[in-house]
């Protein structure tokens, strides 16, 4: 069996999904997602210019060898661009293998450990009352877990992922009006004064059962993060995410020494070597890697197994930039993983997105139910894809009030 053709598509409804389609001499094809938010053209170029020419003629059933060929063969290893490109190939090959076997991918991984996988939604508010309304909306919809982000009083601009004013529906993570980023101003003191009390009010309003998550988005220094984690202990958060920038892993020791608030980290990691020490030293509670950014299902499964040995549960990244293909890959891993925790899930099918990626995965009452269709259980409509093209976009950048660059 041979790979005969592979194509990359960039575009989507208000998104720049990078979709790879691999075709074979037996008529079976597979699809994968290489979307690297705001840098989408880079994995697309890597696929087109180097990886696809080297894929042609290979036996698509040798998933492991193809992964090792690209990873070891590159000499200069890792990095988000390369790993996202390998990730798309790997997902597409698992899709093909599932179709050949007539089985959904979760069966190839070892079968189901659960029926539904709990997901969390993003509640945001320009102020606390606005946020309370947003949380109430998700609770009414049956969500059991909600990430909460709130505008901070007195902050000169809206901070991470919250609307500037009530009712504003602009996409705050990616702005598709061009590649020059918007500016956000950050003030740690104001955040530290406001957010712990706001989280306590949310807990008081919604009771003990709601799983409350909060994303600090790499904004704090280690000592501040430890103080924050200690201050929010009575709230009993499901997790505190990315308290400090991910590069300084020793920062997490300080947080651990001072608090029992669960820590989730890993959405910017692209290899097991970014998280093996954190996992082995049991400095985190949830690992946030994504199938795309770590190079596909093959390496993701290894990280999940390592995490399981150290009581670390999964909480895979699922920001809106992930296409339904990588989300499907994660649904299969989630169905199998014995140490599943929660899944971030925001691909709430618009009619345009459903037409581009017809899928049999089902979302109900804050849970995802994985498809039983052979392969990944999601398809890609090339005719629909022809309607879209790449739109330049950007994340905001962050500065302190005096102009110092800070972490987005
Ligand atoms: O591209 C960056 C986003 O994926 C990130 O800001 C989203 O932090 C994020 C999250 O938890 O989903
Ligand atoms: Mg995050």
């Amino acid at each position: 069996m041979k790979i005969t053709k592979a194509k990359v598509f960039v575009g989507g409804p208000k998104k720049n999904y990078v979709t790879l389609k691999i075709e074979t001499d037996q008529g079976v094809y597979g699809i994968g997602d290489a979307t690297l938010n705001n840098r989408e053209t880079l994995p697309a170029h890597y696929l087109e210019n180097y990886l696809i020419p080297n894929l042609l003629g290979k036996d698509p059933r040798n998933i492991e060898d193809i992964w090792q060929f690209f990873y070891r063969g590159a000499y200069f290893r890792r990095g988000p661009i390369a790993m996202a490109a390998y990730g798309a190939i790997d997902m597409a090959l698992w899709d093909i293998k599932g179709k050949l076997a007539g089985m959904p991918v979760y069966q190839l991984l070892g079968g189901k450990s659960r029926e539904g996988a709990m997901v969390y939604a993003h509640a945001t508010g320009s102020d606390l009352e606005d946020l309370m309304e947003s949380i109430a909306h998700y609770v009414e919809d049956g969500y059991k877990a909600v990430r909460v982000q709130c505008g901070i009083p007195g902050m000169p601009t809206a901070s991470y992922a919250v609307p500037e004013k009530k009712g504003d529906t602009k996409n705050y993570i990616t702005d598709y009006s061009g590649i020059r980023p918007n500016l956000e101003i950050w003030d740690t003191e104001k955040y530290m004064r406001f957010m712990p009390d706001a989280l306590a009010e949310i807990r008081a309003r919604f009771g003990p059962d709601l799983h409350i998550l909060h994303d600090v988005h790499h904004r704090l220094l280690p000592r501040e993060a430890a103080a924050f984690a200690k201050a929010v202990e009575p709230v009993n958060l499901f997790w505190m995410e990315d308290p400090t920038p991910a590069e300084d892993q020793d920062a997490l020791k300080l947080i651990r020494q001072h608090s029992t608030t669960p820590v989730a980290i890993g959405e910017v990691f692209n290899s097991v070597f970014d998280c093996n020490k954190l996992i082995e030293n049991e400095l985190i509670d949830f690992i946030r890697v994504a199938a795309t950014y770590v190079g596909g299902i093959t390496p993701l499964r290894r990280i999940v197994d390592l995490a399981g040995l150290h009581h670390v549960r999964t909480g895979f990244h699922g920001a809106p930039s992930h296409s339904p293909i990588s989300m499907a890959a994660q649904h299969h891993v989630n169905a199998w993983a014995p140490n599943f925790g929660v899944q971030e899930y925001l691909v709430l099918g618009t009619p345009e997105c459903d037409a581009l990626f017809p899928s049999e995965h089902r979302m109900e009452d804050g849970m995802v139910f994985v498809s039983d269709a052979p392969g990944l259980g999601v398809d890609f409509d090339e005719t629909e894809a022809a309607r879209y093209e790449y739109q330049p976009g950007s994340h905001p950048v962050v500065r302190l009030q005096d102009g110092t660059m800070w972490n987005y």
Side-chain angles (χ1 to χ4, degrees):
M1 184 171 187
K2 283 189 172 38
I3 295 173
T4 48
K5 195 169 164 190
K7 283 191 280 185
V8 183
F9 303 80
V10 182
K14 300 199 187 102
K15 295 276 163 29
N16 289 317
Y17 295 133
V18 181
T19 305
L20 172 71
K21 180 167 182 178
I22 296 181
E23 295 177 24
T24 68
D25 58 359
Q26 297 191 12
V28 182
Y29 63 88
I31 53 175
D33 176 23
T35 312
L36 183 62
N37 202 19
N38 296 308
R39 298 291 184 273
E40 296 90 348
T41 52
L42 304 177
H45 285 307
Y46 189 30
L47 279 161
E48 276 164 352
N49 298 335
Y50 181 79
L51 302 175
I52 290 176
N54 276 288
L55 258 184
L56 300 180
K58 286 199 178 347
D59 184 335
R61 295 170 297 186
N62 296 336
I63 301 178
E64 185 70 54
D65 185 65
I66 291 176
W67 198 90
Q68 299 289 341
F69 176 85
F70 287 127
Y71 181 79
R72 291 176 191 263
Y75 185 67
F76 299 102
R77 295 180 187 178
R78 299 159 62 182
I81 298 162
M83 296 304 262
Y86 308 158
I89 294 173
D90 187 79
M91 285 175 220
L93 298 182
W94 279 95
D95 192 24
I96 290 172
K97 194 176 277 298
K99 288 171 178 166
L100 290 173
M103 286 185 197
V105 167
Y106 74 79
Q107 288 293 8
L108 306 178
L109 295 171
K112 269 189 198 170
S113 298
R114 61 196 56 75
E115 283 308 316
M118 181 171 75
V119 304
Y120 71 87
H122 285 189
T124 57
S126 54
D127 60 25
L128 190 52
E129 259 328 293
D130 192 16
L131 174 59
M132 294 284 193
E133 275 178 39
S134 172
I135 301 169
H137 156 82
Y138 288 112
V139 170
E140 277 160 29
D141 271 5
Y143 282 85
K144 291 146 190 67
V146 183
R147 184 187 87 161
V148 302
Q149 305 299 130
C150 192
I152 309 297
M155 197 84 90
T157 65
S159 57
Y160 168 69
V162 300
E164 200 116 77
K165 46 186 191 314
K166 192 174 159 68
D168 206 340
T169 53
K170 200 168 105 195
N171 178 341
Y172 282 87
I173 297 183
T174 304
D175 179 351
Y176 288 105
S177 58
I179 55 164
R180 292 176 78 106
N182 296 320
L183 176 66
E184 284 182 4
I185 305 291
W186 175 252
D187 184 327
T188 296
E189 287 175 24
K190 288 190 171 55
Y191 173 78
M192 295 283 279
R193 274 201 301 271
F194 173 76
M195 204 61 216
D197 291 344
L199 290 169
E201 283 189 47
I202 293 168
R203 172 60 75 210
R205 177 88 63 105
F206 291 94
D209 290 335
L210 181 68
H211 297 310
I212 301 172
L213 296 74
H214 177 62
D215 193 345
V216 182
H217 226 252
H218 328 272
R219 300 284 163 94
L220 299 180
L221 299 174
R223 191 207 56 78
E224 295 161 348
F228 187 90
K230 198 153 84 172
V232 299
E233 257 175 27
V235 178
N236 199 18
L237 288 183
F238 187 86
W239 79 33
M240 171 181 72
E241 179 179 335
D242 288 336
T244 51
E247 298 94 321
D248 176 13
Q249 304 202 340
D250 282 344
L252 296 169
K253 286 187 196 155
L254 193 73
I255 299 170
R256 262 300 193 245
Q257 283 155 4
H258 288 276
S259 116
T260 54
T261 294
V263 175
I265 195 164
E267 65 183 47
V268 298
F269 293 165
N270 52 73
S271 146
V272 65
F273 299 108
D274 292 329
C275 55
N276 59 338
K277 293 286 173 275
L278 286 179
I279 292 171
E280 284 158 9
N281 293 321
E282 301 182 6
L283 292 175
I284 57 171
D285 301 277
F286 294 92
I287 182 70
R288 297 262 303 131
V289 286
T292 308
Y293 308 149
V294 292
I297 294 172
T298 300
L300 184 63
R301 185 175 55 162
R302 295 202 173 99
I303 293 174
V304 173
D305 270 336
L306 177 68
L309 300 179
H310 295 280
H311 324 288
V312 174
R313 288 187 285 159
T314 62
F316 298 149
H317 191 233
S321 49
H322 292 282
S323 92
I325 304 172
S326 52
M327 293 308 294
Q330 293 181 183
H331 297 334
H332 286 279
V333 178
N334 289 334
W336 152 75
N339 48 329
F340 169 76
V342 72
Q343 171 64 59
E344 182 179 29
Y345 188 67
L346 297 150
V347 190
L348 297 174
T350 58
E352 294 83 6
C353 190
D354 291 346
L356 184 58
F357 298 103
S359 160
E360 303 195 16
H361 300 281
R362 196 164 51 81
M363 157 89 177
E364 212 177 286
D365 277 343
M367 312 278 281
V368 163
F369 296 87
V370 69
S371 156
D372 275 319
L376 290 175
V378 57
D379 209 346
F380 176 66
D381 186 320
E382 287 186 49
T383 317
E384 278 292 315
R387 297 173 48 194
Y388 303 106
E389 58 185 26
Y390 171 71
Q391 319 153 64
S394 62
H395 287 130
V397 293
V398 178
R399 290 185 187 274
L400 303 181
Q401 298 218 49
D402 70 357
T404 307
M405 273 301 288
W406 205 242
N407 313 307
Y408 171 63

